[in-house]
Amino acid sequence: MSERPYRVAVIGSGPAGFYAAGELVGSADPEVEVDVIERLPTPWGLVRSGVAPDHPKIKSVSRIYERTAAHPRFRFFGNVELGRDVSHDELLARYDAVVYAVGAETDRPLRIPGADLPGVWPATKFVGWYNGHPDHRDHDFDLSVERAVVVGNGNVAVDVARMLCLERDELAATDIADHALEAMAGSSIREVVMVGRRGPVQAAFTTPELRELGELRAADVVVQPEDLLLDPHSRAHLEQGATPTTMRNIELLARYAERPAGDRPRRIVLRFLRSPVEILGDGRVEAVVLERNEIVPGEGVMMARPTGEREEVPAELVFASIGYRGVPLAGVPFDEERGVIPNDGGAVTGREREYVVGWIKRGPSGIIGTNKKDAKETVTRLLADLRSRGEAPRGAPGAETEAFLRSREPRLVTQAHWEAIDRHERGLGEPHGRERVKLTRVEELLEAGGHAREGESSSAAA
């Protein structure tokens, strides 16, 4: 056993970062102290700013992270950004190991003519906007339109379609950001068309999310029976090796297709085997050109091949939900093709004392819980490396590291500051029967935590 614990920095405080931190502070041999470093004043990543506001049960996973944060060998440092406030080399000089848990921070863009027209948005920005993420607070979405097209067949696409169809009182009971609540309550959208390039058998959404669409109070779900006519390859897959999720999805889609036309004020139309090939408009979006696809075998997957058959769908708003993508970190290797940090079981390729977890490790796949097993793999490797090297801890003492970070960012957000922010938001929500009312600007968050405005003196607790 070492005379003092090893010290590890985890960069990023989303699910992957917190699961990694939990595994690290749970180690008895060797003992590890963990500093989670986050560029925002708030932790929890996509649990706070990516999970749909009407999914509070999914957000409740934050209770696990709170237990990790209460561990005596855990510290949280927010409002500190790698590359802006502290460099890669400075971290390695102060910690025995560094774990990158920065997720996939951007989206895969639509690369078709017209994708730069006003009215075309990445779904990631819309999700961040209605969840109150400071980076996306000031986007201006024109919801005074009648039809929106959502490109994608995953759970994020389903979230976007569902959120566009919720009524004001349904939204008001959630932790949706207030600015988004007001804008979405005044929406004129009457139809949301969700477009997937492959067929229903290959769709990536999960059954609970698909089922929720059919339970909406103000929207009917429309599936054309001909869209469920399966090609031979999809039919064979369904009969021979489909997952239970795929089987349930097909059964549910068939029930939607059999439903008589409803009279709810909005509709969600699910279209399969369609790819957007062009967005039309004079100064803004007016229509989306869709090309019909057919399913053909690929390398281990079923591929969508264009047929040349096209149609125009009038629309004034387009959300692209075709995947997330990691971005490079200064001083850290990066695989441009895959959008990840190259690694072997979580150890960064060609580097010592550097590790990676979550989407920036494996790509944007899986659900929140997937990160637990992923983090365990990386931390197991990290701890084994510490033991095998047999070196005494080289990390700087905790107080020294905190003083260094504070010298770079005087308004450093500690766990105590975050807990003050959390109490403040919950206090704002309590009179309205809401879990919380989110603060959506960095300055507001810092003030709620006890920091003075920049340039003013502060009496914030450390």
Side-chain angles (χ1 to χ4, degrees):
M1 189 79 70
S2 304
E3 291 184 4
R4 63 183 176 86
Y6 289 96
R7 304 199 62 252
V8 175
V10 175
I11 312 303
S13 67
F18 260 94
Y19 284 127
E23 293 286 339
L24 286 163
V25 297
S27 171
D29 181 19
E31 284 193 345
V32 178
E33 293 179 345
V34 177
D35 290 350
V36 170
I37 297 174
E38 166 63 49
R39 73 178 182 88
L40 293 176
T42 56
W44 305 345
L46 287 179
V47 170
R48 178 179 169 95
S49 60
V51 174
D54 62 332
H55 282 173
K57 287 185 179 179
I58 298 177
K59 292 173 181 280
S60 66
V61 71
S62 60
R63 293 170 191 157
I64 296 172
Y65 311 149
E66 288 171 343
R67 289 199 293 271
T68 297
H71 196 284
R73 294 201 304 273
F74 174 96
R75 299 191 303 179
F76 173 74
F77 294 125
N79 201 36
V80 177
E81 184 173 355
L82 177 62
R84 181 192 68 189
D85 303 308
V86 61
S87 74
H88 157 271
D89 291 341
E90 287 170 331
L91 285 177
L92 284 174
R94 285 166 174 81
Y95 291 93
D96 296 287
V98 176
V99 179
Y100 305 108
V102 295
E105 296 185 12
T106 189
D107 59 280
R108 295 185 181 275
L110 279 177
R111 299 189 184 280
I112 59 175
D116 57 348
L117 281 169
V120 181
W121 291 92
T124 52
K125 292 188 176 181
F126 187 58
V127 170
W129 174 78
Y130 65 59
N131 272 312
H133 193 296
D135 289 355
H136 303 296
R137 166 65 174 84
D138 293 321
H139 296 319
D140 185 14
F141 296 96
D142 183 3
L143 303 179
S144 65
V145 302
E146 292 194 358
R147 181 182 287 116
V149 169
V150 180
V151 181
N153 255 348
N155 282 346
V156 174
V158 174
D159 282 349
V160 169
R162 188 184 67 257
M163 288 292 293
L164 288 169
C165 292
L166 291 175
E167 295 189 305
R168 182 190 179 94
D169 62 330
E170 294 174 299
L171 292 168
T174 73
D175 68 352
I176 186 173
D178 280 355
H179 62 265
L181 172 61
E182 295 306 315
M184 294 175 76
S187 168
S188 301
I189 292 174
R190 293 294 171 263
E191 183 170 282
V192 179
V193 181
M194 202 167 82
V195 178
R197 64 187 174 87
R198 296 190 294 173
V201 170
Q202 294 82 32
F205 41 67
T206 53
T207 307
E209 280 65 31
L210 180 61
R211 184 181 297 116
E212 278 186 300
L213 294 182
E215 298 169 349
L216 288 170
R217 194 169 70 195
D220 291 306
V221 178
V222 178
V223 177
Q224 298 299 332
E226 55 266 29
D227 271 3
L228 300 184
L229 296 175
L230 301 182
D231 61 277
H233 306 293
S234 296
R235 193 180 311 114
H237 176 69
L238 200 63
E239 294 171 353
Q240 298 169 11
T243 65
T245 294
T246 299
M247 297 294 292
R248 289 192 293 266
N249 285 350
I250 293 297
E251 292 170 2
L252 188 53
L253 289 167
R255 290 203 293 272
Y256 288 156
E258 293 168 357
R259 281 186 179 182
D263 59 358
R264 293 180 176 89
R266 289 172 172 157
R267 303 195 328 159
I268 297 176
V269 182
L270 304 183
R271 303 289 302 278
F272 298 98
L273 291 170
R274 304 292 194 284
S275 291
V277 292
E278 187 175 5
I279 298 175
L280 306 176
D282 183 8
R284 65 159 297 112
V285 176
E286 296 174 4
V288 180
V289 179
L290 301 179
E291 183 167 20
R292 185 175 181 84
N293 299 322
E294 61 183 0
I295 295 295
V296 296
E299 293 185 9
V301 294
M302 294 291 107
M303 307 292 292
R305 183 172 65 189
T307 65
E309 178 186 336
R310 296 188 174 190
E311 63 177 305
E312 285 187 21
V313 176
E316 303 90 354
L317 189 59
V318 176
F319 293 105
S321 179
I322 54 176
Y324 290 77
R325 178 178 170 80
V327 297
L329 296 173
V332 183
F334 190 70
D335 183 335
E336 287 286 353
E337 184 175 345
R338 296 181 57 219
V340 299
I341 295 174
N343 67 94
D344 177 14
V348 176
T349 304
R351 298 293 185 96
E352 287 190 352
R353 303 191 294 122
E354 294 180 71
Y355 301 85
V356 62
V357 292
W359 281 2
I360 198 65
K361 168 187 174 183
R362 68 181 189 273
S365 63
I367 58 176
I368 288 173
T370 309
N371 292 294
K372 185 173 177 62
K373 180 180 179 181
D374 177 286
K376 187 175 182 63
E377 177 189 55
T378 294
V379 171
T380 298
R381 174 68 179 271
L382 187 160
L383 295 174
D385 288 349
L386 288 178
R387 296 186 195 103
S388 66
R389 283 198 292 267
E391 299 173 350
R394 69 176 79 187
E400 180 182 316
T401 304
E402 181 172 348
F404 166 73
L405 293 174
R406 200 179 298 279
S407 73
R408 295 299 178 84
E409 175 45 75
R411 297 189 297 173
L412 188 69
V413 174
T414 65
Q415 182 67 19
H417 293 125
W418 156 239
E419 289 172 359
I421 294 168
D422 187 43
R423 288 192 300 271
H424 182 78
E425 290 186 335
R426 291 179 186 275
L428 292 175
E430 187 175 1
H432 308 287
R434 302 173 67 184
E435 175 75 13
R436 68 175 67 240
V437 171
K438 288 178 181 173
L439 303 179
T440 60
R441 299 190 189 280
V442 169
E443 281 295 333
E444 294 173 342
L445 290 161
L446 293 175
E447 286 186 41
H451 287 291
R453 285 189 171 273
E454 196 164 17
E456 299 177 358
S457 62
S458 174
S459 59

